[in-house]
Structures are given as structure tokens and as C-alpha cells.
Amino acid sequence: MPLVSSKALLIHALKNHYAVGAFNANNMEVAQAIVMAAEAEKAPVIIQMSQGAIKYAGMNGIFSIVGSLAKRSSVPVVCHLDHGVDYDVVVGALRTGFTSLMFDGSPLSFEENIEITKQLVKMCHAVGIPLEAEIGKVPDSEKSHLSQEEMKKYYTTPKEAEEFFEKTKVDSLAVSVGSAHKMKIQSAVLDIDRIYEINEVVEAPLVLHGASGVKDEYVVKAIKAGITKVNFATELNKALTGSLRESLSKNPDLVDVRKYGDEARKNVVRTVREKIQLLGSSNRAEETLRFISENEYFHQHKSGNSIIE
Ligand code: G3H
Ligand code: ZN
């Protein structure tokens, strides 16, 4: 089926107390694996590309792959821009046809973040596309291991989240509650009470970034507290690269990408299926589609054109 917007998926998940998985794709095999896993689990799914992935794979190239996989799929698939830091990349993704966008203004001052997010919300809503933003900062843990004390300076406060949401009316909000990007082991400690507090004052679905570094028990608690979209990237990279490394080291003569690529793709499918089950989004595809079709708002924007084309 055609690509769908993330708006209805996240509202449905919020109302029904589960979360939708947002999985980063850097190449064709990973995008295929995400759709294969979602179909096997009968789950709605978000495929997302960061600016780095777009630089690597090309905006049109990766969008065409995701769009054509969605078209042949029986489950709802969203094509989302992850961490759009540059204004022109966000606008470029909107023009290309992405059905969900993130503007990450976390490196900016609070006021600048509000200002640019507001402009982009206006532009996106004019054509019926939802925008995710970030307040507080989910840090990068790649270079150094951050202590819990160091993590705290990145946290989102309920007060700034409330003000940010009131002023921007974003469709979903990424919050910093203890996770960090690119963690290869699951050692993050989440501040679950903080998620409850933010959820009390922000009417939009909340997003957990850096979920690769979060233990399953914490993910479940975070969803209970109000997290509705959960982002995984490093876990997929590990699944793909780990399998490739194993195949090539076991058989150094191997040169045919199809031989080791297929095994690696299967390993990503396994990982994504486990995450979908963890989030409680297995077997939700049908009810999500019903929810979309019952709610005119989600598929008609102001010009009257369908955003589920
Ligand atoms: O935006 C992407 C995610 O936050 C993924 O983070 O690589 O730590 O899973 P991760
Ligand atoms: Zn992230």
C-alpha cells in the first residue's frame, strides 16, 4: 500500500498503550528487512533515514526504495526523516515525499529551536505532514561513556517541554530521559518518573531516541509512562555488520554479496521482529488501517489531496 503518515499511527498507539518502532535504514537490505519483519509481525512500522543516511544513500534513491517496498506491503509503512538538523534538508525531504519529518533543533538555543520548529510546523501542516521535534538533548555516547550525572545535564524538563509544545504544536516530541545514541551495550538508566511528568503536560506522543542502549524492561516501563515511538538504529547496524563479519571471517574466499548479504538481512529481520514484539505493535496493522480510514483528518489535508496516495 502507499506510504502513510506517522500521525495516525502514533495517535492510535497512544490511545492503545503500545509503541510504534522507528527503525533506521542506511541501505536497501536494511529497508527490506524492516518491511519483512513488519509484515511477519503484521505491525505498522516507521522506516527512518538520518541526514547521514541520506548523504550516504541519496535522498531520492532511499526514498524510492522505501516507497516501492511500502507499495507492495500489506502493512502501513511510514517514510520518516530522522534528525533533520538543516532546514533545507527538512524542506527537501518534504518535497521528495517523506510522510513524516523530524526537525532536531536541540543544538540551538531554546528560543531558536521554538522559532524554526514553528516555521516548519506551519509548512508541514499546510500539506498534511506531521513534524517531530526535540527538546533537551539525547546525547551521543559513541566517543565517551557518559556517567549518569553527566546525562542529567541533557535531560528534558517538564516545564520546557510544556512551553515548547504550547508554542510550536509539534505532532510528536523527542525527549531526553537517560538514553544516549549509538550505545552498543544496554546500560542506559531511564528516568521513568520524568516521562510520566512530561506526558502529563504535553498532549503529543513522546519519542524515545537511542533505544539500542536501553534494556527491554526499561523500554516497557517507558511505554507505560507515555512513550509512543521508539527509535532503533545501532541494534540494526550490529545485526547486519555482525553477520557480515562472521560470514566473511568463516569463509575468507567469499566474494558474492548475495551469499553473505542474505544471511545478514535475515539477522536484521530477526532483530526488528524482536523489537516489534517488545513494543506491543505486533498484530496492530489492521486496526491501525481501520483507524486511519475512520478518521478523515489523517488522510485529507487542507488542499483536499490525500496524504495516503
Ligand atoms: O534517531 C535514531 C535513534 O535515536 C537511534 O539510536 O542508534 O542508539 O538506537 P540508537
Ligand atoms: Zn535519535
Side-chain angles (χ1 to χ4, degrees), residues 95-226:
R95 184 165 195 249
T96 302
F98 281 54
T99 52
S100 180
L101 304 168
M102 176 188 188
F103 171 64
D104 177 359
S106 63
L108 306 174
S109 70
F110 185 64
E111 291 72 27
E112 282 174 318
N113 190 358
I114 288 180
E115 208 31 61
I116 301 179
T117 302
K118 258 166 78 175
Q119 286 176 28
L120 287 167
V121 163
K122 194 172 176 199
M123 193 184 306
C124 290
H125 287 184
V127 288
I129 297 297
L131 188 81
E132 173 184 334
E134 177 166 327
I135 192 68
K137 181 167 180 55
V138 180
D140 237 326
S141 82
E142 206 180 19
K143 293 183 188 82
S144 63
H145 183 72
L146 294 161
S147 70
Q148 236 178 297
E149 228 21 67
E150 286 169 309
M151 281 298 303
K152 285 186 184 159
K153 65 173 184 258
Y154 296 101
Y155 277 177
T156 308
T157 68
K159 191 174 168 290
E160 64 186 3
E162 182 176 22
E163 185 183 343
F164 187 86
F165 177 70
E166 282 313 314
K167 292 190 168 156
T168 61
K169 297 288 182 226
V170 280
D171 300 278
S172 56
L173 190 61
V175 289
S176 179
V177 291
S179 60
H181 286 116
K182 300 180 184 165
M183 288 175 74
K184 296 195 193 94
I185 48 161
Q186 296 184 332
S187 59
V189 178
L190 296 194
D191 186 341
I192 299 294
D193 289 343
R194 187 173 292 268
I195 303 173
Y196 276 107
E197 287 163 23
I198 299 170
N199 194 37
E200 273 296 302
V201 293
V202 173
E203 266 174 59
L206 303 178
V207 182
L208 179 68
H209 281 245
S212 295
V214 181
K215 282 200 174 70
D216 290 1
E217 307 89 85
Y218 265 130
V219 172
V220 170
K221 284 183 187 165
I223 295 169
K224 241 189 182 156

Side-chain angles (χ1 to χ4, degrees), residues 30-74:
V30 173
Q32 288 173 323
I34 297 166
V35 175
M36 284 172 178
E39 287 197 313
E41 292 297 325
K42 300 185 172 57
V45 78
I46 298 171
I47 303 183
Q48 55 187 16
M49 279 71 66
S50 64
Q51 281 199 197
I54 286 170
K55 197 170 167 204
Y56 171 72
M59 175 93 81
N60 286 307
I62 196 79
F63 176 75
S64 306
I65 289 170
V66 174
S68 80
L69 288 169
K71 205 163 245 175
R72 283 157 191 78
S73 154
S74 55

